[in-house]
Amino acid sequence: MNVVFLSPHFPPNWYRFVMALHAAGANTLGIADSSWDELRPELRDSLNDYYRVDNLGNYDQLTRALGYFIHRHGRIDRLDSLNEHWLETEAALRTDFNIPGIDQRGIAAIKRKSLMKRRFVAAGLPVARGEVCRTLPALKRFVGRVGYPVVAKPDVGVGAAKTYKLENDDDLVGYAEDKLPVDYIIEEFVPGAILTYDGLIGRDGEVVFDSTLIYSTGVMESVNEQKDLYYWIPRQIPDEVRDVGQRMAKAFDLRERPFHFEMFRTPDRGLVPLEVNMRPPGGLTVDMFNYANDFDFYRQWANMVVHGRFDAVIKRPYACVYVSRRDGVDYALTHDEVMHELSPSLVHQTRMDSVFAAAIGDHGYLLRGPELEPLFEAARRIQARPG
């Protein structure tokens, strides 16, 4: 099986997906904008062939790369990056080269939040009222129908960058002057806690692995207010989260796909779907899957792609918590003190790439254990300020 992986060097831990593909027997073909010598040794050892482009955003260079691989290796069986940034590029390449997977016919519904909302409604799921408002008068009319506060976010985008909570007319005018020059969807504000349904879909469309994340604070607040946050994988997934999450998956008819779905738990409307992301959750979350379940998500994804099977036995022996810290903040414990005092539950720590730092901090710590409360106490100690 010939598998092309775009940007195998970024995000930094994504090279493990390529290693897993290679170990599963795939002929692994990489395309990136770094020289061969700049790739980490483990990645070089796992690539059967490599094509360097000047710019991964240059579609002509990507088509030449695929032509090169086809000439040398034959038909391309799969193409992926597992990276939100390249989903539309992947869809175009799959369409042009007749490669299985999400193509140009399906990409709009998984990139545009307004179209996602239509799928949720068709699946009988509750949604926040929302509308793409391209002019200030249209925005004012929408606010007149739903009232303040409202949330404004790019219709195509990921994370909470350039997302606004508008609570009055002054906020509305300021947003109109500051927003990016792209389509924004305006939604009624839904009070509640954000959580996720994450996992892997098999070759026949079934969820073969699932998990959930719960956050100490909203990601929008973490970005806009530069707050510390922590989030965790509990040992049990609530039945209603699994039910709504699987209905979201069916609404998009997925195959062989990692996913990251977001929803709100509201006080009066139950679970309200927010958006779908057709890739693994970012940061260190895939590693959290592995620490919580004592298995290898990278390997299981590769087995699904190459052999069509998922053979891990999921027993969920641990909860796992990600804890962030930000540069320039005076914390009660130094990094060395964290490493020494919390070592029984601390399983991993690393600097976070600057691309992710605004949302999830400059430094990340992973904690795991059979019970959540001791992990929460450790998280509070990591983030505690002096005094």
Side-chain angles (χ1 to χ4, degrees):
M1 172 180 275
N2 293 320
V3 181
V4 172
F5 206 99
L6 302 180
S7 185
H9 63 310
F10 188 86
N13 48 338
W14 258 217
Y15 76 95
R16 296 183 184 276
F17 285 112
V18 181
M19 290 178 62
L21 283 171
H22 186 74
N27 192 41
T28 50
L29 312 171
I31 304 175
D33 52 9
S34 293
S35 71
W36 175 255
D37 291 339
E38 290 176 314
L39 303 180
R40 62 191 306 148
E42 303 97 320
L43 178 55
R44 293 200 302 264
D45 290 344
S46 299
L47 287 170
N48 296 105
D49 206 346
Y50 181 69
Y51 192 102
R52 181 188 179 278
V53 295
D54 297 322
N55 181 355
L56 276 166
N58 186 314
Y59 194 76
D60 288 341
Q61 292 187 18
L62 295 179
T63 59
R64 286 197 292 272
L66 288 190
Y68 169 83
F69 286 148
I70 291 169
H71 174 73
R72 288 172 58 88
H73 304 281
R75 174 184 170 85
I76 303 302
D77 298 291
R78 298 290 189 277
L79 178 146
D80 224 317
S81 70
L82 304 179
N83 186 334
E84 186 78 26
H85 186 75
W86 304 116
L87 287 182
E88 291 170 296
T89 299
E90 295 167 15
L93 290 169
R94 292 192 192 104
T95 301
D96 288 345
F97 288 88
N98 195 28
I99 302 169
I102 298 168
D103 59 17
Q104 284 187 302
R105 293 170 299 178
I107 190 62
I110 66 174
K111 288 294 292 182
R112 300 194 73 90
K113 297 178 179 66
S114 54
L115 298 183
M116 292 178 200
K117 195 179 295 289
R118 295 182 191 176
R119 293 285 182 99
F120 299 153
V121 171
L125 294 165
V127 297
R129 289 174 292 175
E131 185 177 304
V132 174
C133 297
R134 297 186 174 92
T135 66
L136 189 57
L139 175 53
K140 289 181 176 179
R141 286 193 297 269
F142 178 77
V143 172
R145 291 197 301 272
V146 304
Y148 286 114
V150 295
V151 174
K153 52 192 175 183
D155 195 30
V156 176
V158 63
K162 283 297 181 179
T163 295
Y164 305 81
K165 183 179 179 183
L166 311 178
E167 304 196 57
N168 51 52
D169 290 347
D170 289 341
D171 287 350
L172 188 150
V173 172
Y175 149 78
E177 295 174 349
D178 184 63
K179 67 182 281 295
L180 296 171
V182 298
D183 280 350
Y184 267 68
I185 185 170
I186 315 301
E187 293 182 332
E188 63 177 328
F189 178 75
V190 177
I194 192 170
L195 67 153
T196 73
Y197 183 65
D198 311 302
L200 178 64
I201 300 215
R203 188 166 285 183
D204 296 324
E206 75 284 17
V207 175
V208 295
F209 167 74
D210 58 6
S211 185
T212 185
L213 292 172
I214 304 171
Y215 296 81
S216 65
T217 189
V219 177
M220 183 169 65
E221 289 78 13
S222 177
V223 172
N224 292 344
E225 302 172 30
Q226 291 293 280
K227 287 185 174 181
D228 286 334
L229 87 162
Y230 57 91
Y231 51 85
W232 63 94
I233 295 176
R235 292 182 63 183
Q236 299 297 323
I237 302 173
D239 291 341
E240 66 272 23
V241 173
R242 180 174 279 130
D243 173 64
V244 170
Q246 294 195 357
R247 290 166 67 188
M248 292 169 72
K250 288 180 181 178
F252 291 86
D253 192 28
L254 302 176
R255 300 286 188 278
E256 293 181 16
R257 198 76 205 166
F259 61 88
H260 174 57
F261 299 161
E262 299 177 357
M263 59 187 82
F264 282 111
R265 183 181 295 282
T266 68
D268 55 354
R269 297 168 60 181
L271 294 173
V272 176
L274 178 60
E275 64 181 71
V276 297
N277 299 280
M278 304 311 184
R279 43 81 182 169
L284 300 179
T285 310
V286 172
D287 303 287
M288 292 174 69
F289 291 162
N290 293 343
Y291 284 119
N293 296 283
D294 269 346
F295 85 133
D296 188 334
F297 184 90
Y298 303 101
R299 185 175 75 85
Q300 293 300 327
W301 169 79
N303 281 342
M304 180 58 61
V305 171
V306 178
H307 304 295
R309 67 171 185 260
F310 180 94
D311 55 18
V313 177
I314 302 301
K315 296 183 178 180
R316 308 182 192 276
Y318 301 106
C320 190
V321 181
Y322 171 87
V323 188
S324 74
R325 297 221 299 198
R326 296 190 180 277
D327 290 349
V329 175
D330 184 21
Y331 293 101
L333 294 181
T334 67
H335 171 73
D336 288 343
E337 288 170 335
V338 169
M339 297 297 296
H340 175 71
E341 296 184 23
L342 302 179
S343 60
S345 59
L346 184 62
V347 291
H348 184 69
Q349 61 83 26
T350 188
R351 293 288 299 173
M352 302 306 299
D353 191 275
S354 59
V355 171
F356 310 115
I360 58 174
D362 299 287
H363 204 100
Y365 301 87
L366 294 186
L367 308 165
R368 81 166 182 179
E371 303 294 335
L372 269 170
E373 192 50 49
L375 303 182
F376 291 159
E377 176 57 29
R380 290 188 284 265
R381 290 190 63 199
I382 291 173
Q383 294 180 338
R385 310 297 171 87

